[in-house]
Amino acid sequence: MIGKKMQDALNDQITAEFYSAHLYLSMAAYFESIDLPGAAGWMRTQFQEEQVHAIKMVDYLIERDGRALIRGFDDPPTEWESVLDAFKAAYAHEQKVTALINGLVDVARAERDHAAEIFLQWFVNEQVEEEASVKAIIQQLKMVEGSGGGMFMIDRELGSRVFTPPASSAA
Ligand code: FEO
């Protein structure tokens, strides 16, 4: 059975992952409102991924004979100054999530919960990918600032992203 400290920390992270999902769905709605359907689609995929992250943790607590808690959280923001501003906010948010995941690994180590430490490695790797993908979009957006044609191309490319459930969640 999972220890209380590890369980509490994972429950806090479940809340943080669901908040992330809502933040990105809010960004999707904002992008729709400024006629960027591709960026909106990209954020909808991000919304789905964040839900997968949360549910992975819910399932893990259940598997470890723990108690998963589904809790509420604050409203996410609804407006940003621009598409670049929103992606910069997404990047800052992912950096915070990375720090939270690292904190979870610290708890697993302090509690000598080797199983949880291994489970969390998936999230450590996922954060590297998440930060890198948002950073790459920010760089593209900076390159085309002020160019409607460039923005049109980026939006089209962002819209090609499709949600692929991770292998362990696909069954
Ligand atoms: Fe669940 Fe974007 O980290």
Side-chain angles (χ1 to χ4, degrees):
M1 188 174 181
I2 197 161
K4 186 176 181 325
K5 276 192 188 159
M6 195 71 248
Q7 174 172 290
D8 289 350
L10 283 166
N11 272 318
D12 286 347
Q13 191 62 29
I14 288 168
T15 309
E17 298 292 342
F18 278 128
Y19 174 81
S20 300
H22 280 226
L23 173 64
Y24 295 137
L25 189 58
S26 182
M27 285 183 180
Y30 164 71
F31 289 145
E32 294 284 7
S33 79
I34 58 170
D35 298 324
L36 291 173
W42 194 96
M43 281 296 173
R44 276 177 196 248
T45 298
Q46 196 65 16
F47 162 70
Q48 289 175 292
E49 286 204 351
E50 297 300 349
Q51 290 182 97
V52 167
H53 296 172
I55 290 165
K56 257 181 183 292
M57 290 181 177
V58 169
D59 288 345
Y60 185 71
L61 281 172
I62 292 167
E63 199 179 0
R64 292 282 307 274
D65 198 19
R67 182 71 171 89
L69 301 175
I70 308 305
R71 298 186 288 217
F73 40 80
D74 292 341
D75 292 344
T78 54
E79 299 290 336
W80 290 267
E81 283 176 16
S82 64
V83 58
L84 178 59
D85 180 45
F87 272 97
K88 279 183 176 171
Y91 184 64
H93 182 71
E94 284 307 323
Q95 287 181 308
K96 276 189 209 156
V97 174
T98 297
L100 292 174
I101 296 292
N102 289 340
L104 283 177
V105 175
D106 291 343
V107 173
R109 286 187 181 157
E111 294 295 297
R112 302 184 58 78
D113 188 336
H114 299 174
E117 192 177 342
I118 291 167
F119 167 72
L120 288 165
Q121 290 313 303
W122 185 89
F123 291 89
V124 171
N125 291 328
E126 180 74 359
Q127 284 311 119
V128 173
E129 273 181 39
E130 295 233 324
E131 283 194 28
S133 64
V134 178
K135 190 81 192 275
I137 293 166
I138 289 171
Q139 281 163 343
Q140 285 182 23
L141 289 170
K142 280 183 177 166
M143 277 190 269
V144 302
E145 247 184 323
S147 154
M151 191 57 239
F152 176 80
M153 296 296 286
I154 290 181
D155 190 60
R156 201 162 64 172
E157 190 186 319
L158 290 173
S160 68
R161 183 186 186 195
V162 289
F163 174 63
T164 316
S168 57
S169 308

